[in-house]
Amino acid sequence: MHGYVSITRPANSVVAGLAGVLGYLIATGTVTPESAALIGIVALVTAAGNVINDYCDAEIDAVNRPDRPIPAGKVSRRGALIYAALLFAAGNLLALTTNLSCLAIALFNSALLVLYATRLKGMPFVGNLAVAYLSASIFLFGGALAGPDGLAANLPVAGVTFLAMVAREVLKDAEDVEGDAAGGARTLPMVLGIPRTIALAFAFAAAAMVLSMLPVFRWWGLPYLLAIGLLNAAVLLGAAGVRGCTTPACIRSSRVTSTLKKGMFLSLLIFTAAAVLL
């Protein structure tokens, strides 16, 4: 059972579900009992996407991530495929309890997750954009539960998430060049080279940081600006070690993708505190 739990990346799936509730909170300023369904829907669909991705990436993970459940022999490929189908079905059935907009997003994102795992992942930059959209759309999904105005209220947060995720995804590809090449994938770092990929990632990360501070006076004021500004500075400082890297090993040792991931999680906490308190 441990393999079937870990293959879903449960922490990431649950955090994604909480981000859906945060989208609703940003839209309405409150959390209602019906919004709790967002956690289950987003967590199930996200978990399904993680499983189908591992199913399709079994050969690549055997090089890059041999400890993942499928190459480690904890989950069979056939078992993973059935498991992903069940998780997708459960998430979309639960989405029937929401509204038409939420259901449409859930169905579209489920299809995109499958398309990403089977086709888009190996397409330079296109796969990165798909993952970034999927992450950003969680906030749109939460806002959509409150109607069109709620969806529109989440556009800035979704924009920040999209830009930050593009930065992290291209850096993850740069970390995994050897395994991706062995698996036949063609990613952005293989086309641009690692130094240019790093420069592009920093450009997207900087754009995310600028956007995160633009709506401050309309939304949450000086306390939010100070908190998000300090976080942005800390992330930039923590990611500085990747500058000058020319090899995947150097990028991995810099832990830049981990820094960006932690920064995104902390930004969720800041968004939550600002939505509740300010």
Side-chain angles (χ1 to χ4, degrees), residues 47-248:
N50 289 333
V51 176
I52 197 67
N53 190 64
D54 275 20
Y55 168 82
C56 294
D57 281 357
E59 294 181 4
I60 294 175
D61 284 344
V63 178
N64 288 334
R65 302 285 189 271
D67 58 328
R68 294 295 301 156
I70 294 177
K74 297 177 182 177
V75 177
S76 69
R77 290 196 72 189
R78 182 173 181 275
L81 186 60
I82 295 171
Y83 189 35
L86 292 173
L87 290 169
F88 275 128
N92 284 284
L93 285 172
L94 188 55
L96 290 171
T97 65
T98 58
N99 59 32
L100 191 58
S101 295
C102 288
L103 178 60
I105 294 173
L107 289 170
F108 177 79
N109 284 9
S110 296
L112 184 58
L113 282 164
V114 174
L115 184 61
Y116 167 79
T118 57
R119 296 289 298 275
L120 299 182
K121 182 179 174 67
M123 297 176 65
F125 203 47
V126 176
N128 304 129
L129 294 176
V131 171
Y133 157 75
L134 287 163
S135 299
S137 69
I138 295 171
F139 294 99
L140 302 180
F141 181 73
L145 187 63
D149 289 342
L151 192 151
N154 277 272
L155 286 175
V157 175
V160 170
T161 304
F162 176 82
L163 293 167
M165 282 300 299
V166 171
R168 183 169 184 266
E169 285 300 308
V170 298
L171 287 172
K172 283 175 61 181
D173 281 350
E175 286 183 337
D176 294 341
V177 165
E178 300 100 334
D180 288 340
R186 184 167 173 77
T187 60
L188 190 67
M190 297 178 187
V191 177
L192 292 183
I194 288 178
R196 289 181 180 176
T197 299
I198 292 173
L200 180 65
F202 264 82
F204 274 97
M209 292 175 185
V210 171
L211 182 58
S212 73
M213 294 185 286
L214 285 182
V216 59
F217 295 110
R218 192 183 119 189
W219 281 11
W220 298 316
L222 186 59
Y224 168 79
L225 178 62
L226 290 174
I228 203 70
L230 287 172
L231 175 61
N232 287 342
V235 171
L236 276 178
L237 183 63
V242 78
R243 283 315 223 4
C245 282
T246 58
T247 65

